[in-house]
């Protein structure tokens, strides 16, 4: 589990493969739309050998639309968060300063310059696409709270993909073993 270092909210799980980008400061995760009950289930190729979901009878569920969710969002209970581009850019500036202070206070001074370089490069990539991104925050965020923790950004890099790509700031997350 990857948790926000500021709020302890879960942001991601290692069940989702990710690649590091932008000087290893960004965790890039591909998502997909799934039925809520299928999020987090991993097919290991055993079929229904060990029980579980029963096969639906022919014709079942054909009339009702099937609810689908973005697996990355559903798994960590991420919440969409709306803000203007000006508000977003102001928050990002404060957030970056907060991450730098966190790194310095936690013996990770060697990551500061790398974080600044990678995070700046990422923002140069994503800021012009502001109207095409969605911002997500942790589960503990409520409408009345000021945004105090980390955030995730989703962006459709490829229209033919099964879901958007999510970007997480690696240095603002801590890995927690379950």
């Amino acid at each position: 589990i990857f948790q926000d270092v500021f709020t302890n909210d879960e942001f991601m799980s290692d069940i989702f493969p990710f690649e590091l980008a932008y000087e290893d400061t960004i965790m890039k995760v591909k998502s997909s739309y799934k039925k809520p009950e299928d999020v987090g289930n991993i097919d290991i190729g055993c079929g229904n050998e060990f029980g579980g979901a029963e096969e639906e009878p022919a014709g079942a569920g054909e009339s009702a639309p099937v609810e689908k969710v973005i697996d990355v969002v559903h798994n960590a209970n991420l919440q969409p968060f709306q803000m203007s581009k000006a508000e977003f850019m102001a928050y990002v500036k404060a957030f970056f300063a907060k991450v730098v202070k966190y790194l310095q206070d936690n013996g990770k001074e060697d990551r500061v310059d790398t974080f600044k370089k990678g995070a700046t490069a990422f923002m140069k990539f994503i800021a012009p696409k502001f109207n095409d991104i969605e911002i997500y925050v942790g589960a503990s965020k409520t409408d009345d709270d000021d945004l105090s923790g980390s955030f995730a950004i989703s962006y459709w890099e490829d229209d033919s993909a099964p879901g958007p790509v999510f970007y997480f700031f690696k240095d603002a997350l801590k890995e927690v073993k379950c």
Side-chain angles (χ1 to χ4, degrees):
I1 304 286
F2 292 92
Q3 291 179 332
D4 181 4
V5 298
F6 305 113
T7 64
N8 289 323
D9 284 341
E10 180 180 333
F11 264 74
M12 200 190 66
S13 168
D14 62 0
I15 64 170
F16 300 104
F18 64 88
E19 64 181 79
L20 293 174
Y22 298 94
E23 305 286 328
D24 293 345
T25 61
I26 298 294
M27 297 167 71
K28 191 174 168 181
V29 181
K30 293 179 181 176
S31 71
S32 62
Y33 281 88
K34 295 182 177 177
K35 294 188 286 186
E37 61 271 16
D38 291 342
V39 173
N41 291 338
I42 300 171
D43 182 4
I44 58 173
C46 295
N48 200 23
E49 285 296 315
F50 301 103
E54 298 294 322
E55 191 173 312
E56 289 187 25
E62 288 178 9
S63 61
V66 176
E67 176 195 11
K68 292 200 173 185
V69 296
I70 300 174
D71 53 3
V72 172
V73 171
H74 186 76
N75 188 68
N77 197 23
L78 298 177
Q79 307 298 313
F81 191 79
Q82 301 294 319
M83 64 176 80
S84 70
K85 185 173 184 178
E87 291 169 328
F88 176 68
M89 296 309 287
Y91 181 73
V92 165
K93 184 177 180 179
F95 173 73
F96 285 179
K98 196 173 179 178
V99 173
V100 166
K101 182 173 178 3
Y102 169 80
L103 292 171
Q104 291 168 336
D105 292 349
N106 288 278
K108 299 178 181 183
E109 295 88 359
D110 59 324
R111 285 287 304 160
V112 170
D113 289 339
T114 303
F115 172 75
K116 286 179 180 180
K117 185 177 177 185
T120 300
F122 173 70
M123 289 310 298
K124 285 180 181 177
F125 162 74
I126 207 69
K129 299 166 178 45
F130 183 79
N131 292 332
D132 297 324
I133 67 170
E134 290 189 42
I135 302 163
Y136 288 89
V137 295
S140 69
K141 169 74 178 91
T142 66
D143 290 338
D144 298 333
D145 292 339
D146 286 331
L147 187 56
S148 60
S150 193
F151 59 96
I153 295 173
S154 74
Y155 173 68
W156 283 87
E157 285 187 352
D158 177 359
D159 290 337
S160 66
V165 172
F166 278 77
Y167 302 93
F168 300 91
F169 290 92
K170 181 185 94 169
D171 295 290
L173 300 176
K174 61 185 173 187
E175 189 171 358
V176 178
K177 302 286 184 195
C178 294

